[in-house]
């Protein structure tokens, strides 16, 4: 009898250690923009996310997920096809990565209808913030309006009265400018919508010169922003620029150099933040990527990874019960690089916003320096309508 028990124990141990019975890693679908002028934005989100996945002592340690990464090319139809393949062919139940609002509009409804979770590391339109809020939809970046509101508050604090507004003609651009006007409260001399992906701004710059506003608020992410600011500088315009970090990030400052100096920026994070989580993230980024600038997009990708990791760790890295994963993520049990971070009832951030300024250091480096806080514990106006 003793021998029989010993044999059973050996068999049980062998089966437990059998690769056939090993637990499959959780699959995460990361769909983002990796090509074209805005490709570095998605690359930063992807690489920030993977730093969270690989972090020693992080939530994924010992339970590394399988991250399926694909380029959406800023094409909603292409992104929709990728998501459908991930859902049906790969049984992916957690998604993240999208940069642009028009792409998110094509993908997110299908993800949520399938009972999967979507975590936004960037764009977050109004439709899922209020009455359309969803228990499986999370935002770690900001509700889109927060970008415009923070710039409006910054411009107001600087004493400006007359604004010229410029943004791409897509949902996030329109959200941004409406939100800006809500906080700014001054006169808008012009509100101009450009083509998404536009890189020639000669017409708009001529119009700005003729309008002669107190300042220009231009929302032009990635390569669009680099093109606009370079042409603005070359045109010799001295009218101040007040922008969001999406249109003047750390990488853009390095590329634009003197053309960036003096630009005022509103952001919820900067690479000089003095808190343990931010310092650890920046150090990890520099250790892996050297002098490559660490942008707010990378920070948002990193926070998205930590949030997803917190939910999976609390549920033993199982996606069998997605309600349990969602409930765990709702607690926001992770140390954000921003320091002050929590979810409102619509699962969008309540956070602080800061004034940054592009500057040249005595050593000749070009950086964004953090200044005063412009908004404290700031949420969005749509959360009151969320009935979750």
């Amino acid at each position: 009898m003793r021998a029989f028990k010993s044999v059973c124990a050996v068999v049980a141990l062998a089966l437990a250690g059998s690769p056939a019975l090993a637990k499959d890693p959780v699959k995460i679908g990361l769909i983002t923009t990796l090509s074209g002028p805005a490709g570095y934005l998605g690359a930063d989100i992807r690489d920030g996310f993977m730093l969270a996945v690989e972090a020693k002592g992080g939530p994924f340690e010992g339970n590394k997920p399988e991250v399926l990464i694909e380029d959406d090319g800023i094409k909603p139809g292409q992104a929709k096809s990728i998501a459908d393949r991930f859902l049906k062919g790969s049984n992916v139940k957690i998604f993240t990565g999208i940069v642009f609002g028009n792409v998110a509009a094509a993908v997110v409804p299908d993800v949520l209808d399938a009972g999967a979770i979507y975590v936004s590391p960037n764009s977050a339109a109004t439709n899922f913030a209020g009455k359309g809020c969803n228990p499986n939809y999370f935002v770690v970046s900001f509700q889109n309006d927060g970008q415009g509101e923070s710039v409006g508050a910054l411009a107001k604090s600087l004493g400006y009265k007359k604004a010229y507004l410029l943004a791409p003609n897509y949902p996030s651009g329109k959200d941004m400018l409406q939100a800006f006007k809500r906080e700014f409260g001054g006169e808008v001399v012009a509100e101009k919508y450009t083509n998404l992906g536009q890189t020639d701004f000669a017409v708009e710059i001529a119009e700005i010169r003729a309008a002669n506003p107190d300042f220009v608020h231009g929302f032009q992410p990635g390569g669009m922003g680099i093109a606009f600011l370079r042409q603005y500088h070359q045109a010799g315009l001295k009218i101040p620029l007040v922008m969001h970090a999406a249109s003047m990030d750390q990488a853009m400052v390095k590329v634009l150099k003197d053309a960036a100096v003096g630009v005022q920026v509103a952001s919820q994070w900067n690479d000089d933040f003095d808190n343990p989580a931010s310092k650890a993230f920046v150090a990890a980024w520099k250790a892996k990527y050297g002098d490559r600038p660490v942008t707010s997009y990378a920070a948002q990708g990193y926070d998205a990874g930590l949030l997803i990791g917190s939910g999976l760790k609390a549920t033993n890295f199982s996606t069998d019960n997605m309600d349990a994963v969602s409930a765990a993520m709702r607690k926001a049990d992770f140390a954000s690089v921003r320091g002050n971070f929590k979810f409102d009832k619509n699962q969008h951030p309540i956070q602080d916003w800061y004034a940054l300024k592009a500057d040249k250091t005595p050593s000749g480096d070009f950086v964004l320096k953090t200044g005063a806080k412009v908004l404290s514990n700031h949420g969005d106006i749509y959360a009151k309508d969320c009935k979750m």
Side-chain angles (χ1 to χ4, degrees):
M1 186 68 178
R2 183 178 300 171
F4 175 75
K5 287 182 178 179
S6 298
V7 170
C8 288
V10 170
V11 170
L13 284 171
L15 288 174
S18 170
L21 297 182
K23 188 175 181 180
D24 291 334
V26 171
K27 293 180 180 179
I28 298 172
L30 196 154
I31 303 170
T32 195
T33 302
L34 297 171
S35 55
Y40 83 88
L41 306 180
D44 281 0
I45 287 173
R46 175 199 63 197
D47 295 344
F49 185 89
M50 293 308 297
L51 276 183
V53 167
E54 297 160 0
K56 187 176 181 180
F60 288 106
E61 189 170 37
N63 290 279
K64 190 173 181 179
E66 181 182 351
V67 184
L68 309 180
I69 301 169
E70 292 215 23
D71 178 18
D72 59 44
I74 324 183
K75 298 175 181 176
Q78 180 171 313
K80 186 180 177 73
S81 296
I82 295 168
D84 186 61
R85 176 160 41 85
F86 281 178
L87 285 165
K88 296 175 181 177
S90 302
N91 196 31
V92 175
K93 295 182 180 179
I94 300 175
F95 289 76
T96 189
I98 296 173
V99 179
F100 290 93
N102 58 332
V103 177
V107 170
V108 174
D110 290 350
V111 168
L112 299 181
D113 286 347
I117 287 173
Y118 182 73
V119 176
S120 176
N122 195 55
S123 181
T126 59
N127 53 316
F128 286 115
K131 292 179 180 179
C133 62
N134 188 294
N136 282 1
Y137 179 78
F138 295 83
V139 176
V140 296
S141 50
F142 35 67
Q143 199 283 318
N144 282 350
D145 288 16
Q147 300 175 85
E149 287 165 349
S150 62
V151 177
L154 174 55
K156 186 176 181 179
S157 73
L158 293 169
Y160 295 137
K161 305 296 183 186
K162 295 195 303 179
Y164 184 104
L165 308 183
L166 188 73
N169 189 14
Y170 77 120
S172 296
K174 293 178 179 179
D175 286 351
M176 209 79 66
L177 297 194
Q178 294 307 309
F180 169 88
K181 291 186 285 188
R182 189 159 55 239
E183 279 289 334
F184 175 53
E187 179 186 355
V188 175
V189 299
E191 185 172 329
K192 178 80 172 183
Y193 288 95
T194 57
N195 295 322
L196 187 61
Q198 181 173 324
T199 55
D200 183 350
F201 296 94
V203 172
E204 289 77 15
I205 289 171
E207 291 178 358
I208 292 168
R209 192 189 301 276
N212 194 31
D214 289 347
F215 73 104
V216 175
H217 166 41
F219 169 65
Q220 298 288 333
M224 294 180 290
I226 291 172
F228 171 69
L229 286 159
R230 184 171 283 143
Q231 292 163 37
Y232 194 91
H233 181 69
Q234 289 169 349
L237 283 180
K238 302 300 182 185
I239 299 168
L241 290 159
V242 185
M243 312 181 85
H244 180 263
S247 305
M248 175 54 76
D249 61 36
Q250 293 83 350
M252 293 169 72
V253 171
K254 305 287 188 190
V255 170
L256 289 162
K257 301 181 188 287
D258 288 316
V261 172
V263 176
Q264 301 277 351
V265 179
S267 183
Q268 81 281 21
W269 180 81
N270 193 26
D271 58 3
D272 63 3
F273 269 26
D274 187 15
N275 69 67
S278 182
K279 286 182 173 182
F281 163 61
V282 171
W285 182 275
K286 289 182 176 179
K288 185 158 189 175
Y289 298 111
D291 292 335
R292 177 180 164 192
V294 51
T295 67
S296 55
Y297 292 95
Q300 290 158 199
Y302 184 76
D303 272 359
L306 293 181
L307 173 64
I308 291 171
S310 73
L312 289 171
K313 186 175 182 179
T315 54
N316 196 29
F317 293 90
S318 170
T319 55
D320 292 340
N321 185 341
M322 292 303 288
D323 289 341
V325 177
S326 179
M329 286 172 55
R330 203 167 297 129
K331 296 175 183 178
D333 186 19
F334 71 100
S336 169
V337 296
R338 281 157 276 186
N340 183 24
F341 176 98
K342 61 182 177 181
F343 281 132
D344 208 331
K345 63 181 179 178
N346 61 355
Q347 297 172 179
H348 288 61
I350 295 175
Q351 59 189 337
D352 300 332
W353 291 84
Y354 296 84
L356 317 179
K357 189 175 181 180
D359 203 359
K360 185 176 183 179
T361 67
S363 64
D365 194 14
F366 293 88
V367 299
L368 283 172
K369 290 184 177 179
T370 301
K373 190 183 296 184
V374 294
L375 291 171
S376 298
N377 293 312
H378 189 71
D380 61 80
I381 63 172
Y382 309 103
K384 65 184 186 304
D385 298 321
C386 176
K387 304 303 180 185
M388 280 196 297

